[in-house]
């Protein structure tokens, strides 16, 4: 098996990459990625609040990718001929902001639900995000995976910027779900 | 009833819960499955049958926590809220955060809005 040509074509400008991973995201890769990222940010002298925001966003986003990849793997060994590999990449911009990009394979049947959730979150200002977060935290029951359905709200709140996202067709069954979070 | 002590892990906080009233959670709470980690803590609270006269004081001093942990923390606070609201034993939460970590302060204030337990906020040592 192999990755889809789109996956193979993704390249980030090397000079801006803080840490990048392309491949099958295992539990130990998640742990290593987050530990290495924290180490690099500390070595780079990133201010405490920015470092904490970056780590908070990365913990949530990378764990999300891992959970989605695991859930998909449980249902299918491949996305109809292509690998289920994921991507996580943190880049730093000249303006002092960082971008965390994640990519994972999703069934097309999930696209409308994801699209709806992110559109809702992106439509909220900072105060409304906080209110919605408090309300949902107080009400939400756990999903089987132990998450609280608060993921996108938390990501938008911590990053302070709208969530950029898109879907790229792989085949009739699956798409790539690409998420970019800006943290300043 | 015995103290509950869980040593700090790479992704889980140190837990020290003493039936005499002192409770503390420190470190980071970012496990993929927080329910599994918090289950014995919730169970320990459920089994409390004698409450200390001076009440319970829970110190929360976390560096990071993920959304999975955020719900488990709320479950823990709710259990303590239930003890507090019974009227026989007061419970308070001291929420400590690193200097400059306004997001962590805000997270504590969010919980303060959800549970009916007195909160105090302060800088971590």
């Amino acid at each position: 098996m192999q990755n889809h040509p789109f996956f193979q074509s993704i390249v980030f400008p090397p000079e801006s990459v803080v840490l990048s991973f392309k491949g099958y995201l295992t539990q130990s890769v998640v742990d290593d990625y987050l530990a290495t990222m924290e180490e690099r940010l500390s070595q780079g002298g990133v201010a405490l609040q920015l470092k904490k925001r970056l780590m908070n966003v990365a913990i949530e986003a990378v764990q999300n990718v891992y959970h989605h990849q695991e859930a998909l793997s449980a249902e299918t060994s491949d996305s109809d001929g292509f690998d289920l590999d994921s991507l996580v990449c943190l880049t730093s911009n000249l303006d002092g902001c960082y971008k965390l990009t994640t990519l994972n394979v999703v069934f097309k049947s999930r696209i409308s639900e994801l699209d709806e959730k992110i559109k809702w979150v992106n439509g909220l200002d900072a105060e409304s995000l906080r209110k919605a977060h408090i309300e949902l935290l107080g009400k939400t029951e756990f999903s089987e995976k132990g998450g609280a359905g608060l993921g996108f709200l938390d990501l938008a709140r911590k990053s302070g910027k709208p969530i950029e996202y898109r879907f790229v067709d792989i085949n009739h069954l699956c798409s790539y779900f690409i998420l970019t979070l800006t943290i300043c | 009833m015995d103290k509950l002590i869980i040593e700090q892990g790479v992704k889980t906080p140190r837990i020290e819960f003493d039936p005499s009233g002192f409770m503390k959670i420190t470190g980071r709470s970012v496990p993929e499955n927080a329910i599994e980690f918090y289950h014995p803590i919730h169970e320990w609270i459920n089994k409390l049958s004698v409450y200390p006269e001076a009440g319970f004081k829970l110190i929360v001093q976390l560096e990071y926590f993920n959304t999975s942990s955020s719900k488990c923390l709320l479950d823990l606070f709710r259990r303590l809220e239930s003890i507090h609201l019974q009227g026989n034993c007061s419970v308070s939460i001291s929420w400590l955060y690193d200097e400059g970590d306004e997001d962590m302060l805000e997270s504590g204030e969010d919980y303060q809005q959800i549970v009916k337990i007195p909160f105090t906020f302060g800088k971590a040592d």
Side-chain angles (χ1 to χ4, degrees), chain B residues 65-80:
Chain B
F65 60 91
N66 59 5
T67 54
S68 178
S69 299
S70 71
K71 189 74 185 172
C72 290
L73 285 170
L74 179 62
D75 278 359
L76 168 64
F77 298 161
R78 284 250 159 90
R79 284 165 212 262
L80 293 172

Side-chain angles (χ1 to χ4, degrees), chain B residues 35-58:
Chain B
I35 296 178
E36 200 176 289
F37 175 76
Y38 281 90
H39 180 72
I41 304 164
H42 295 162
E43 285 298 297
W44 188 90
I45 299 275
N46 289 348
K47 284 181 187 156
L48 283 170
S49 51
V50 181
Y51 300 146
E53 270 184 35
F56 286 109
K57 181 177 182 176
L58 170 64

Side-chain angles (χ1 to χ4, degrees), chain A residues 49-115:
Chain A
Q49 184 70 80
L50 179 56
K51 183 187 145 195
K52 288 219 161 187
R53 282 195 178 145
L54 282 162
M55 287 308 301
N56 269 315
V57 167
I59 289 164
E60 208 57 48
V62 180
Q63 287 186 345
N64 274 348
V65 170
Y66 170 73
H67 284 310
H68 289 308
Q69 190 193 259
E70 284 294 286
L72 198 75
S73 301
E75 291 186 52
T76 177
S77 59
D78 64 87
S79 57
D80 201 22
F82 291 110
D83 279 336
L84 299 177
D85 286 355
S86 303
L87 176 152
V88 186
C89 183
L90 180 71
T91 56
S92 81
N93 296 355
L94 291 172
D95 60 4
C97 294
Y98 288 80
K99 277 185 188 287
L100 182 75
T101 301
T102 63
L103 171 149
N104 59 285
V105 178
V106 292
F107 282 127
K108 285 187 165 169
S109 54
R110 289 210 57 219
I111 289 180
S112 61
E113 172 210 341
L114 291 165
D115 186 51

Side-chain angles (χ1 to χ4, degrees), chain A residues 27 39 42-43 74 78 107 111 113 118 123 133 155 167 180:
Chain A
Q27 181 67 74
E39 202 178 296
S42 295
Q43 285 167 354
D78 64 87
F107 282 127
I111 289 180
E113 172 210 341
I118 301 176
H133 191 264
L155 287 174
F167 299 95
T180 302

Side-chain angles (χ1 to χ4, degrees), chain A residues 27 31 38 48-49 52-53 55-56 59-60 63 67 130 134 137-140 142 146 154 157, chain B residues 11 28 30 32 35 63-64 66-68 71 74 78 98-103 106 109-110 114:
Chain A
Q27 181 67 74
D31 295 348
E38 189 172 17
L48 177 89
Q49 184 70 80
K52 288 219 161 187
R53 282 195 178 145
M55 287 308 301
N56 269 315
I59 289 164
E60 208 57 48
Q63 287 186 345
H67 284 310
R130 186 172 188 184
I134 292 170
L137 177 62
K139 280 183 186 168
T140 316
F142 281 107
D154 191 66
R157 218 180 142 188
Chain B
K11 291 184 279 187
R28 52 182 68 188
V30 294
E32 272 79 11
I35 296 178
E63 205 185 346
Y64 297 107
N66 59 5
T67 54
S68 178
K71 189 74 185 172
L74 179 62
R78 284 250 159 90
D98 289 337
E99 172 116 39
D101 190 359
E102 298 303 312
D103 290 345
E106 208 171 80
E109 290 171 346
D110 291 351
I114 301 173

Side-chain angles (χ1 to χ4, degrees), chain B:
Chain B
M1 186 159 169
D2 290 337
K3 271 189 186 182
L4 174 70
I5 293 181
I6 302 173
E7 291 305 332
Q8 186 162 336
V10 178
K11 291 184 279 187
T12 51
R14 182 174 197 278
I15 303 293
E16 183 181 355
F17 279 25
D18 190 325
S20 68
F22 176 83
M23 299 170 162
K24 193 169 186 184
I25 302 178
T26 45
R28 52 182 68 188
S29 183
V30 294
E32 272 79 11
N33 188 346
I35 296 178
E36 200 176 289
F37 175 76
Y38 281 90
H39 180 72
I41 304 164
H42 295 162
E43 285 298 297
W44 188 90
I45 299 275
N46 289 348
K47 284 181 187 156
L48 283 170
S49 51
V50 181
Y51 300 146
E53 270 184 35
F56 286 109
K57 181 177 182 176
L58 170 64
I59 297 170
V60 182
Q61 186 179 337
L62 289 171
E63 205 185 346
Y64 297 107
F65 60 91
N66 59 5
T67 54
S68 178
S69 299
S70 71
K71 189 74 185 172
C72 290
L73 285 170
L74 179 62
D75 278 359
L76 168 64
F77 298 161
R78 284 250 159 90
R79 284 165 212 262
L80 293 172
E81 177 187 47
S82 156
I83 293 171
H84 182 72
L85 295 178
Q86 281 170 20
N88 302 324
C89 174
S90 67
V91 180
S92 64
I93 295 178
S94 172
W95 185 273
L96 305 180
Y97 58 97
D98 289 337
E99 172 116 39
D101 190 359
E102 298 303 312
D103 290 345
M104 189 54 84
L105 168 62
E106 208 171 80
S107 296
E109 290 171 346
D110 291 351
Y111 282 117
Q112 188 183 27
Q113 288 192 43
I114 301 173
V115 288
K116 298 178 188 72
I117 298 178
F119 272 68
T120 54
F121 298 94
K123 306 277 166 67
D125 298 333

